[in-house]
Every structure is written in structure tokens, then in C-alpha cells.
Amino acid sequence: MQIDPERLYQELARLGEIGAYTDDRTGLRGVNRLALTEADGAGRRHVVQSMLDLGLGVRIDKIGNVYARQEGREPGLAPVMIGSHVDSVPTAGRFDGCLGVLGGLEVLRTMAEAGHRPRRPIVVAFFTDEEGCRFGTDMLGSAVATGRLSLEQATGLLDAEGNRMGEELQRIGFEGEHPVELDPPYAYLEVHIEQGPVLRAHGVDLGIVTGVQGISWQELTILGRSAHAGTTPMELRRDAGLAAARINLFLHELTARIPGARATMGAIRPEPGLVNIVPGRVVCTVDLRNPDEALLAQAEAELAAFLVQVETLDGVQIEARQTARTPPVAFDPAIQARIEAAAKGLQLSTERIISGAGHDAQELARLCPTGMIFVPGEHEGISHNPRELSTMTQCGDGVQVLLRVVTELAEA
Amino acid sequence: MQIDPERLYQELARLGEIGAYTDDRTGLRGVNRLALTEADGAGRRHVVQSMLDLGLGVRIDKIGNVYARQEGREPGLAPVMIGSHVDSVPTAGRFDGCLGVLGGLEVLRTMAEAGHRPRRPIVVAFFTDEEGCRFGTDMLGSAVATGRLSLEQATGLLDAEGNRMGEELQRIGFEGEHPVELDPPYAYLEVHIEQGPVLRAHGVDLGIVTGVQGISWQELTILGRSAHAGTTPMELRRDAGLAAARINLFLHELTARIPGARATMGAIRPEPGLVNIVPGRVVCTVDLRNPDEALLAQAEAELAAFLVQVETLDGVQIEARQTARTPPVAFDPAIQARIEAAAKGLQLSTERIISGAGHDAQELARLCPTGMIFVPGEHEGISHNPRELSTMTQCGDGVQVLLRVVTELAEA
């Protein structure tokens, strides 16, 4: 069986017109289907219609997750589930999330055209508010379906204007009747754009995702002493900006020593921030990531020890506040092996890759063997941006491998 | 002859009430006599009245500089000039500038009380807009009087609201009739608060100022590539924030190698400045100072060479723009020796010190032998702040040494 890359790409373009806008500065066409807005509702209705057109049974749960089911030859068996999301950040492209959902429908469409009826049921799902931009918690729908968050916690969340998540869900007509608890699927698969530069830089066709990195965010407040840049000798300074610079360089040294570590100081705000004043106070952020929990904890511990050294070295006081912390998730090795074999059979090159971003798959991994296929991105893998682009071939390759793996798993 | 420290301190307090305000946050009493505002006009009139009360001849020039003359026994001789300024930054204390002017008047008052008539005339001057906060150019009046700026350049300057300097000068009634060109005095002396922590930290009574540092300001624009902190491997990053951190640390290493060097990165503005985005662009500032022109130029050259290294190391592009550059000024060694001897005679401890801030004395140094006496400051020498404080003893010691040196020079 062969999926149709052109048809898949057209479906991506059609969905990408819902919530589309033209960026004033660049003239590029972007997408804004922020969760539970009218545009998200329109995108959802469009995808549900495609599901119904394929003759699938559609079920919507109380958090708005949508499940479309192709019955198998043995209806009692746990299904193979394919999924992702169709909500977007406010300045999105058309690939993030949508590729996984429309790719799943393309798999079912291809099977239907071939008259192929798998042993196990196949479910294509899209989960509510994966992006988390509006209500502050990402992977919201899949977290509720897999028990990490309660329905009450999720529907009680407020957006910046004070709108309750549950009411917004009702407003767009996607508060379903089915209970949110998801029966464990036999396996879960998600095709997604990489959202990074690695696969494209390495000239690799597809990525086999080994897991999702653990994330540790800290906000550091460094208190020194503001002083006149002309009149204050170097040895009498307590330069909070210098302390931040030391920490930034230390983070980068750390990543050279700790396998798999990534570290970023994204925000640095010196006060008063004037050319001729030694900064008396700096607030800066630290983003640490690692696919291995022990190594992530090691990076946190080494940083904490270094902050004490900096306090002495620069005569500053540093307060560290943890602002986010999620443990790493490892995907199923057997499914990784199946993805690799399927790609090999199609003469597509692959590379094992860790996901730096969060995905619904990491929530599903609590319920069942889970795998992800990454598709390379052009423009250095830029994402959450109208320049986000994966080619028809790149998208088609990912979904063709998905078809093979799903077909196998659905017979197991 | 002995000056009266209590009277001097009372005069500082009286002038400090003109333009005074109470800081909302701290409850401290501050001073705002921004140049050529009504408050500056009121402060000027108060000082002119004190001059007239002392029987001095007052002359105002076309840029608003005010000169009060005590005739000498030999009227044809070049005068000894004592001066500073009475304008302030918007959030000032009562000592910056005022100590030099009111100290000069205290010297003349002491001489008059003692019936002492010096050989040379003595002139006490205050110069227009030393601070430069309003029209963007500091030492404005003394720069015009000594020929660095023309009267037309100065009066044509605009403030943020578009007001012309010359019109504001007229409005407060201080556009005088005398030509701005100043006949070279025999010598110029200025007592000023240190505006830094050194003398107080060293437990020294007075500072003998050796000169004013040269200043080099640069604004660096570092162009990297913004990237996702989770998905972008360290080796594929072009982190503009990391480049800024390297430069900051390099600047501090530089000051350890180059004698007399001071360096500060006061502003650092990463874009987009978010916890999970590698900064794609950073604008930061560099403030380099040195009392030696060759060493200042060496620091500039070493920095420029390092920026090229950083471009390669971090894959960034750096554009450096010079935003200010003034050469160092050296004060007269013979006057320094006189100050030292006078302090010694009064059993006051001294230390040679370079001025980190700009002063009218550096303009006058083009015309005649010039010297400055620094008075220590409490609260780590904080200045341009309502907490600015030098004690009655500190101020009195500085002006007593001034009296001795002026008395000597006026007989020479």
C-alpha cells in the first residue's frame, strides 16, 4: 500500500487555510487556531467532517478530545492509535500537530482504498489544547485522557481574559459526552515535524524519536550593587551582570561535560540597564534539558553548586526559583525498531533523535507502547512561525512509514 | 585663616532646599535643579545674591556662566579661579557641584573676615549645565568658555521636548552680555565630592585628583540566530547571549591586564528574551575608561580583536558603534604637590585618585594649570541620588585645603 503524498499535502493546505492570516511584516501566510477559539472550532469541525466522510465512528469526550475509529476484524481487541493535535500557537505554520492527525486519516484512507481491513481497530485522535498557550498548561487534553490531570483541574483553568477553559470548550461546541478516561490502546504512534534543525542538517530522511527530554526551568535573581562605571574601581564592584555572564558560560561548559545536556539562558534583564552603571540586579532564566533524569538532576546540582561559588566570587546574592520541571519520557524500544525497519524497507535514512519539545505522545506513553516519527523541517527547522515548512516528500515519507508500522501493529 | 565648616554646611543645606523634593519610595529629601529650569534659575539667583552680599563683582556671559570677582592687590594679574556648577541631575543630592561653588565663596568670606587681601584677583565661577542631562552634552558652559564648543553649537541644542537651550537660558534670565571666551586664569581649582567609594573605603581624608579618565562608549549589536532551547543541539546554535557573556568576562580580564582600566557592560538586551528561546540578537553596551590614552586605545584594540574571535567561536556577527569618546585629561603636577603639602600641614591624609566622572576642571585644564580636591562620600560614595552625603568634617577639610592652596597661588 502507498499513501498519496500529494493528497496529504493538499489536506494540510486546506486545514492551514482555517484561521489563516497574513503577517504584516513578512507578507507570509500564517495560522492562528489558538485552543478553543472560533478558529480552533472551525478547524476541528473540518477534521471531524473528514473523519465522517471516511465512514469512521467519531467520539468526543468531556475535555474535547476527538477519536475516530476504524473497526478491525476482531472488534474486541485494543486499538492501534494514531494522534496529535489541530490547535496552534497564535503565529503558527500549517504542519505542527496537523501532520500527525491528517497523516493518520491518510493512513486509513489508503487502507480503505486498498480494501485492507486490519485485525485490530485503528483510532485516529486529536487532543485538546496541546500548545498550552492560552490556558498555561500544554498537552492538556492528552494529560486528562491519561490521568495526569483531572477533568476539573483542566476545565477550571482560566485564560488571560479570565475565561474558563470548560466554558470555552462548550462555547465552540466540543464538550462531548464520553468519559475522559482512555482505555489503554495496544500502541500509540505520532508523526510530527521535528521543530529543530538536526535531521535537515544531517541530510536524514526521518527521525526515530527515542523519547522526550526532561525540562528544568529556573529564574535566577542576582543581587549585586549598582555603581558608577567611571568612579567605582573593579575590586569594589558587585556586578550582577558579570555574575550572569559567568553562569551563562558555565551552562555551556556543563553541556560539554554532561551527555545529552542542553542549556540556555534566554532572558537577561540587568537593572538599571544603563551604559555607565554597573548592574545592581539581574533577573535571568535557565532552561536545562536532558533525556536522562539522573543527568538532568546532575546538571541542576552542578549549577546550584556553581551559584554558591559565584556568590563568593562576585560578592552577589543569588536566589533561584524553579518555574517548571518535567521528567524525561522514554519511548518503546520495540516500536523504535519497527519504525527503523519500515524506513529501511522504503530505503529512507533514519537517525535516533530525542524530542526537545513536548508532545501528546509523552502523555500516551504512560498508557501503552508509544513511538514518534519526526519529519525534517526546512529553514533550519523553524516552527511556531509562518516560515515553518516540511516538503511534500518529507511529509509523505513520514506518513508512508507510519502506514507500514500501523499495518504491522494492527496485525499483532 | 580657618574656614567655618558649620557655615559652609548650612549654605549647602540652604541651596539644597531650592528645587528640593521628597522621594516617594524612600522618603528621602532630594534635589532637582535640572539645567535652565525654573529651579535652576532660583538656585542661580540665590548664589548670585550670596556673591553680591560678599561685595564681589558679578559678571554673566552669553552662555550663562557666572563669575564673581574679588579684586587683588595687583588688579592686572590673571586671577586664581575656583569653580564648579549648581545645576543638578533630576534625582540629586545637595553636594555635587554646589560644594565647589559654595566652598569658593566660603574661601572669600574667610579671607574677608581675616582682612586678607591677596596679590592676585580671585574669581569664583559656576558654569552652565555641567550635568548634560537635559541637552545631551555635559560640561556645556565650561566647554564653551574654553573653546571646545561654539556658543552657536551650545545654544542650538534641543531638549527632549524640543526646547532650544538658548531660549531656555533667556527664559530664566541668565543670558548675560559678556563674551564667552575666558581669559586664561593663573590657575583653576575645584573641590568636588568623589562620587565613588575609594577614599571612604581606604579611610583617607581627601583625594588629590591626578586627572580625568578617558571614556570610550560602544554599543554592540550581536546577531546570532534565535532557536528553540529544546530542539536545537548546542553545536547548531548561534547564541547571541552567550557571545555577550564572553565579551563581558573578557572585559573584566582586560581590566586585570591593563593598568588603570575600568570596563562595564551595563546594558544587555537579548531578543526575544524568553526562557526557552536561544537569543537571536543582543544589543549591549561597553564602557571603557582609562587615565592613559594609549592604554585606553589598547583596550579598544584588544576588544575589537576579541569581537572577531567571538564571531568565529559563536557563529555570530557583531557590529560595534562608538557612542562616545573623550580623551583623558591630566591635572597639573605642581598643583597636585601644593594640595598635598597643604593637606599635610593640616594633618589630613591624602591619596592620589583619578576622576571617573567628568568635571568642569577638565575643560579649564586646556587654559591653565588646574587641580581638583576630592572629598569622600558616605554610603559607598553614592551620587546622583538623594542618599549622596559627605559630612561637615569631610566638606570642611576639603575647603580648608582649598583656602590654603588658593592663598598660596594668589601670592605667586
Side-chain angles (χ1 to χ4, degrees), chain B residues 331-339:
Chain B
F331 290 145
D332 186 70
I335 291 193
Q336 292 178 45
R338 281 187 193 272
I339 296 169

Short mmCIF file of all heavy atoms in Angstrom, two decimals, chain B residues 331-339:
data_model
loop_
_atom_site.label_atom_id
_atom_site.label_comp_id
_atom_site.label_asym_id
_atom_site.label_seq_id
_atom_site.Cartn_x
_atom_site.Cartn_y
_atom_site.Cartn_z
N PHE B 331 45.87 66.49 35.29
CA PHE B 331 45.95 67.77 36.01
C PHE B 331 47.41 68.11 36.33
O PHE B 331 48.29 67.26 36.29
CB PHE B 331 45.08 67.72 37.27
CG PHE B 331 43.60 67.70 36.97
CD1 PHE B 331 42.72 66.98 37.77
CD2 PHE B 331 43.08 68.40 35.89
CE1 PHE B 331 41.35 66.96 37.49
CE2 PHE B 331 41.71 68.39 35.61
CZ PHE B 331 40.85 67.66 36.42
N ASP B 332 47.61 69.38 36.63
CA ASP B 332 48.96 69.93 36.79
C ASP B 332 49.68 69.32 38.00
O ASP B 332 49.18 69.38 39.13
CB ASP B 332 48.83 71.45 36.98
CG ASP B 332 50.18 72.12 37.02
OD1 ASP B 332 50.83 72.17 35.96
OD2 ASP B 332 50.58 72.58 38.11
N PRO B 333 50.88 68.73 37.80
CA PRO B 333 51.60 68.08 38.90
C PRO B 333 51.99 69.06 40.01
O PRO B 333 51.97 68.71 41.19
CB PRO B 333 52.85 67.49 38.23
CG PRO B 333 52.50 67.42 36.78
CD PRO B 333 51.57 68.55 36.51
N ALA B 334 52.32 70.29 39.63
CA ALA B 334 52.73 71.26 40.64
C ALA B 334 51.57 71.60 41.56
O ALA B 334 51.74 71.76 42.78
CB ALA B 334 53.28 72.52 39.96
N ILE B 335 50.37 71.69 40.99
CA ILE B 335 49.20 71.99 41.83
C ILE B 335 48.88 70.78 42.71
O ILE B 335 48.52 70.93 43.89
CB ILE B 335 48.00 72.43 40.96
CG1 ILE B 335 48.33 73.82 40.38
CG2 ILE B 335 46.72 72.47 41.80
CD1 ILE B 335 47.18 74.55 39.77
N GLN B 336 49.04 69.57 42.16
CA GLN B 336 48.85 68.37 42.99
C GLN B 336 49.80 68.41 44.19
O GLN B 336 49.40 68.09 45.32
CB GLN B 336 49.11 67.10 42.17
CG GLN B 336 48.07 66.84 41.08
CD GLN B 336 48.40 65.59 40.26
OE1 GLN B 336 48.75 64.56 40.83
NE2 GLN B 336 48.31 65.70 38.95
N ALA B 337 51.04 68.81 43.94
CA ALA B 337 52.02 68.86 45.03
C ALA B 337 51.62 69.90 46.08
O ALA B 337 51.76 69.69 47.28
CB ALA B 337 53.41 69.18 44.46
N ARG B 338 51.10 71.05 45.61
CA ARG B 338 50.64 72.09 46.56
C ARG B 338 49.48 71.57 47.41
O ARG B 338 49.41 71.84 48.61
CB ARG B 338 50.16 73.32 45.78
CG ARG B 338 51.27 74.22 45.28
CD ARG B 338 50.64 75.50 44.69
NE ARG B 338 51.63 76.26 43.93
CZ ARG B 338 52.43 77.19 44.47
NH1 ARG B 338 52.36 77.45 45.76
NH2 ARG B 338 53.29 77.84 43.72
N ILE B 339 48.55 70.85 46.78
CA ILE B 339 47.41 70.31 47.54
C ILE B 339 47.93 69.34 48.60
O ILE B 339 47.51 69.37 49.76
CB ILE B 339 46.40 69.61 46.59
CG1 ILE B 339 45.78 70.62 45.61
CG2 ILE B 339 45.32 68.89 47.39
CD1 ILE B 339 44.98 69.99 44.46
#
